[in-house]
Amino acid sequence: MIVRLEKRDAPVDLRVRAPPSKSYTHRALIAAALAEGESFIQEPLIAEDTLLTLTALRSLGVEIKEEMGGIRIHGTGGVIRPGRRIKLDLKNSGTSMRLLASVGLLADQPVILTGSERMCKRPIRDLVEALNAIGGDVRYLGQPGYPPIEVSGRLCGGQVTISPYVSSQFITSLLMTAPYAEEDLLISLAGLSVSSSYLDITVDLMTSFCASVQADATHTFRVKSGRPFQGRQYQVEGDYSSASYFFAIAAVCGGDVTVENLNTNSTQGDRQFISLLERMGCKADPGQDSYHLARYGTLTGIDCDMSTMPDTVQTLAAVAIFAEGDTVIRGISHLRHKESDRIEAIERVLSTVGAGIATSEDQIRVVPGPLHGGEIDPKNDHRTAMSGAVLGLGIGTLSILDAECVGKSYPGFWDRLKEAGLWSGIY
């Protein structure tokens, strides 16, 4: 579908509810599947990515029942019995691919993980080497270093060092299955992790399911063997990445927005997106499970490091073209390995609407300029499409192709804009 957006000439006055967190949902589903006993995951995100994880777990033999208000999962105690060699097609879900790669070591039969054409171009070598170092027998079925892969072997545990520069999800994958290793697992990082805030989410989730995981200042994680996840009722918190688009709309159009269903003490790195908007000239106030943001003055460009909040880089870039002065965003080299090359996407999209853009391997500079409408092809990247909505409401006469790709993380996004009177629904 094609979404056409027109410029918002009046300040906004919005109140919306953030959808559940995609990151927490993936982790909660896997923890519940591996746990001892039954779990009920309350208000999980139901979107393309999380449904791929759910479907894969079912294929691995996990008993799952969707109920009103959540998902009931009968834990396997870490013993995965698909009963046959199985192939999991994870489409374009990098989180599913990476987290389930380690789960495959717990299966009684080899597990093949594959995905879309783009997925098979996203690197996985560091994770494969780490799994093989702790007992796995993981091999490539296509180009070395990339999916598809076949996972078999054992999860022995011990010590392993892994590069953290491509994706923090490699480390999360090891952590999530470590309670079921034959001995304690000690994970050392060869440097500072990109997207380190996502490791905070992982540790928080694992602790909630009663695993024993410790992290220290030397970038080392220790997970105790024999302390499996325990089934429980778990409430998934709201998603700051998805909320960022509504905060950005208020920043660009002026006015007020309140986003509900947000844990104001969340470990989500994208919570810091609000503080960047404050630096640009907005005013933000936390409420009870909500955040209110307003902008009535001028936006100014900033220089910032977004290494801990990669999913909001495109959102900030969309805001930056409406500011006075340049904005420099640093710490983003790993964006080249997302659903699309998001550094290239930012350059392509902002150039389309008239902004100046200069990119390097690890940063971008956004230079405001005379803006105009046009047509954006998100190339099947949900975050490119949703950040395009921010641009459209600020510029006008902007069409977004393949707009349904937002279903990967936020299926109701366009409905929320329509309910708020920001999109006519005609396309």
Side-chain angles (χ1 to χ4, degrees):
M1 90 184 191
I2 299 173
V3 167
R4 184 179 175 89
L5 293 158
E6 298 300 335
K7 183 176 180 179
R8 174 76 181 190
D9 292 320
V12 297
D13 183 9
L14 304 178
R15 179 175 289 271
V16 296
R17 180 178 173 84
S21 164
K22 183 163 79 78
S23 296
Y24 270 103
T25 298
H26 278 295
R27 289 160 174 78
L29 293 175
I30 291 173
L34 298 179
E36 293 186 342
E38 185 179 274
S39 295
F40 185 73
I41 310 301
Q42 267 184 283
E43 296 189 66
L45 176 69
I46 304 300
E48 289 174 10
D49 263 22
T50 55
L51 286 173
L52 285 167
T53 292
L54 200 66
T55 299
L57 291 171
R58 279 195 172 111
S59 297
L60 290 169
V62 181
E63 186 180 343
I64 298 170
K65 183 179 180 183
E66 296 176 47
E67 300 180 0
M68 182 71 69
I71 298 172
R72 191 170 303 279
I73 300 177
H74 294 272
T76 62
V79 180
I80 304 295
R81 294 193 175 97
R84 57 185 173 84
R85 185 172 182 262
I86 196 163
K87 183 177 182 179
L88 304 177
D89 184 354
L90 301 170
K91 310 297 183 185
N92 203 26
S93 177
T95 307
S96 304
M97 169 67 68
R98 293 157 178 169
L99 270 57
L100 290 169
S102 293
V103 173
L105 282 188
L106 303 176
D108 64 354
Q109 298 289 329
V111 177
I112 295 172
L113 294 94
T114 189
S116 65
E117 181 180 356
R118 172 62 184 173
M119 177 61 68
C120 294
K121 294 179 180 178
R122 297 176 71 177
I124 200 170
R125 184 185 301 276
D126 292 332
L127 177 56
V128 168
E129 291 180 352
L131 290 174
N132 285 339
I134 57 174
D137 181 13
V138 185
R139 63 188 184 95
Y140 302 110
L141 301 181
Q143 182 180 356
Y146 301 87
I149 58 174
E150 182 179 80
V151 180
S152 59
R154 296 161 54 199
L155 184 58
C156 298
Q159 298 186 24
V160 65
T161 299
I162 185 168
S163 170
Y165 296 118
V166 173
S167 175
S168 66
Q169 290 177 353
F170 295 164
I171 301 135
T172 287
S173 181
L174 297 172
L175 289 170
M176 289 292 295
T177 51
Y180 302 92
E182 295 172 15
E183 59 179 280
D184 293 357
L185 181 61
L186 185 69
I187 305 170
S188 298
L189 308 188
L192 291 173
S193 173
V194 298
S195 310
S196 58
S197 59
Y198 288 95
L199 297 179
D200 296 334
I201 291 174
T202 303
V203 171
D204 178 53
L205 186 286
M206 291 178 67
T207 302
S208 295
F209 278 82
C210 300
S212 175
V213 55
Q214 297 175 331
D216 63 27
T218 65
H219 318 300
T220 299
F221 295 83
R222 181 183 293 275
V223 183
K224 190 170 182 59
S225 174
R227 283 281 301 273
F229 296 128
Q230 298 298 313
R232 57 159 296 180
Q233 182 166 306
Y234 184 82
Q235 173 75 49
V236 178
E237 65 179 60
D239 190 72
Y240 275 90
S241 303
S242 297
S244 74
Y245 304 107
F246 297 100
F247 293 130
I249 288 168
V252 167
C253 299
D256 298 75
V257 63
T258 298
V259 182
E260 300 172 335
N261 192 37
L262 291 176
N263 174 7
T264 55
N265 295 312
S266 177
T267 60
Q268 294 180 57
D270 288 330
R271 181 166 67 95
Q272 300 306 315
F273 177 78
I274 297 169
S275 66
L276 297 184
L277 293 183
E278 287 185 292
R279 288 176 55 194
M280 297 182 81
C282 300
K283 186 178 187 304
D285 295 293
Q288 184 174 357
D289 299 323
S290 67
Y291 256 103
H292 171 263
L293 184 134
R295 198 276 293 175
Y296 289 98
T298 301
L299 291 172
T300 57
I302 59 172
D303 189 317
C304 58
D305 185 313
M306 296 189 72
S307 57
T308 62
M309 42 183 143
D311 285 345
T312 54
V313 170
Q314 288 170 289
T315 325
L316 192 78
V319 174
I321 68 171
F322 299 97
E324 291 187 354
D326 298 359
T327 291
V328 178
I329 304 174
R330 308 179 189 275
I332 59 171
S333 60
H334 51 299
L335 292 188
R336 295 200 183 276
H337 307 297
K338 296 287 188 177
E339 286 86 341
S340 66
D341 178 341
R342 287 184 178 161
I343 295 178
E344 182 278 331
I346 291 170
E347 185 173 27
R348 173 172 49 84
V349 169
L350 296 192
S351 298
T352 295
V353 298
I357 182 82
T359 67
S360 67
E361 185 61 29
D362 198 45
Q363 74 173 48
I364 59 173
R365 178 182 292 273
V366 179
V367 182
L371 303 176
H372 54 78
E375 187 176 271
I376 294 173
D377 182 358
K379 296 190 175 180
N380 203 35
D381 192 324
H382 55 134
R383 302 214 180 277
T384 302
M386 288 186 281
S387 62
V390 177
L391 295 173
L393 292 170
I395 300 169
T397 319
L398 186 71
S399 296
I400 301 172
L401 309 180
D402 187 27
E404 65 270 22
C405 70
V406 302
K408 181 178 175 67
S409 64
Y410 195 172
F413 179 72
W414 300 117
D415 290 336
R416 300 296 85 76
L417 291 190
K418 185 177 179 181
E419 291 163 3
L422 299 177
W423 174 52
S424 67
I426 301 170
Y427 53 89

